[in-house]
Amino acid sequence: MTKDLQKRVIFGGVALAIFIPFLLKGGVPFQLFIGLLAMMATAELIRMHGLLPNSIEGLLTMLGSVVLTLPLENYVTFLPTDGNYTAYAIVVLCLLASTVFNIRQYSYAEVAFPIASSFYVGIGFHHLILARMNGLDKVLFALFIVWATDIGAYMVGSRIGRHRLMPRVSPNKTLEGSLGGIVSALIVSTLFIWIDKDVTSGYSLVTMLVLVVLFSIFAQFGDLVESAIKRRFGVKDSGRVIPGHGGILDRFDSLIFVFPIMHFFGLF
């Protein structure tokens, strides 16, 4: 095992050792932990764009991702049932208002990136919390789909990959690897459903496996989207929080895309 791989394994294990207890606990501790991760992921994004997290615009952007992530109506009783969306809209208006004070360097065009960043991170992490509120099995199901997709794509792509999937975005990814990731996700999902039939939310096995193909494709797009962002700004990793693995966004990019589509199809 190379030193680089050893570092990835060790620090990956440490990251899981921190994440898993919060995931198992659920409730407020898990939600606040995910809110913190959302802030960190948003800070990584805006740093790529050259915006300082401790600036007024940076703080508002991170606040936007947090209020969109958390189910605020559970904490602040006077808020409506969609309190986090309403609070997020107010933060967006504040971001737009900030252009008034710095119009030469921070105009409407520039504020679009912070708004998009807070929405991109916040909506994904919000649906992660919704999934956990519905049940631990829904979160584990998504995790296994993403992990199986990643591992299958790497194993197949590194061995028989010949046709580049999207060379301008991610040169190492291949069509064969992508298909291998989907097949891997199907195998793992079938075993998961066999153990826990409740995860299907009433769908037949055939329908569920068709959805798994869709989820696996979305997971790959989540990874590609973040790769496109990093390539645009000329960075290798979104951050350096987890040595050998990059930043928070590097670890959650696929899940950010998977959880909303799972919610769309009523799995939680």
Side-chain angles (χ1 to χ4, degrees):
M1 183 182 291
T2 64
K3 288 185 178 180
D4 184 61
L5 184 56
Q6 285 180 337
K7 183 170 72 172
R8 285 179 61 85
V9 171
I10 291 170
F11 285 100
V14 171
L16 278 176
I18 296 172
F19 178 73
I20 294 299
F22 283 101
L23 177 61
L24 296 176
K25 179 69 175 177
V28 174
F30 178 71
Q31 293 171 15
L32 295 180
F33 178 66
I34 294 303
L36 175 63
L37 294 183
M39 287 183 63
M40 295 171 68
T42 306
E44 292 171 355
L45 266 176
I46 60 179
R47 277 197 194 97
M48 292 186 209
H49 193 56
L51 185 63
L52 295 175
N54 60 353
S55 65
I56 294 298
E57 297 84 6
L59 292 172
L60 283 172
T61 306
M62 290 189 292
L63 177 63
S65 65
V66 171
V67 300
L68 187 56
T69 295
L70 297 175
L72 290 183
E73 62 275 9
N74 291 352
Y75 305 102
V76 186
T77 55
F78 68 80
L79 289 174
T81 54
D82 60 347
N84 58 315
Y85 294 108
T86 304
Y88 177 70
I90 293 172
V91 174
V92 168
L93 293 176
C94 290
L95 275 167
L96 290 170
S98 69
T99 62
V100 174
F101 303 101
N102 198 13
I103 194 167
R104 290 186 178 179
Q105 298 179 354
Y106 193 69
S107 64
Y108 184 83
E110 283 75 33
V111 82
F113 187 88
I115 292 173
S117 297
S118 62
F119 180 81
Y120 165 46
V121 173
I123 203 69
F125 280 111
H126 175 67
H127 283 87
L128 166 56
I129 287 178
L130 289 182
R132 181 61 186 89
M133 291 171 68
N134 187 261
L136 178 62
D137 60 339
K138 302 302 172 66
V139 179
L140 293 177
F141 188 56
L143 286 171
F144 276 105
I145 289 173
V146 169
W147 291 341
T149 299
D150 286 346
I151 294 171
Y154 174 77
M155 292 181 65
V156 174
S158 62
R159 285 168 172 77
I160 63 171
R162 296 293 182 272
H163 301 86
R164 301 299 176 188
L165 184 64
M166 292 186 176
R168 291 187 178 181
V169 176
S170 187
N172 294 327
K173 288 182 171 58
T174 63
L175 178 59
E176 293 84 357
S178 176
L179 294 174
I182 293 173
V183 172
S184 178
L186 284 170
I187 294 171
V188 171
S189 297
T190 301
L191 293 173
F192 195 104
I193 293 169
W194 180 66
I195 295 170
D196 180 12
K197 293 181 175 57
D198 292 336
V199 79
T200 63
S201 298
Y203 285 110
S204 68
L205 178 60
V206 173
T207 302
M208 197 65 200
L209 292 180
V210 171
L211 290 178
V212 167
V213 172
L214 184 63
F215 300 155
S216 181
I217 292 172
F218 264 73
Q220 295 183 54
F221 263 104
D223 183 54
L224 288 167
V225 165
E226 204 225 348
S227 294
I229 294 172
K230 291 188 293 185
R231 186 163 289 273
R232 164 64 179 82
F233 293 106
V235 298
K236 181 178 182 294
D237 297 314
S238 65
R240 291 178 287 182
V241 175
I242 312 172
H245 291 267
I248 300 300
L249 198 59
D250 290 315
R251 295 301 91 208
F252 284 88
D253 52 3
S254 296
L255 289 167
I256 284 173
F257 268 57
V258 170
F259 280 113
I261 193 69
M262 285 180 65
H263 186 53
F264 178 81
F265 283 101
L267 293 187
F268 57 85

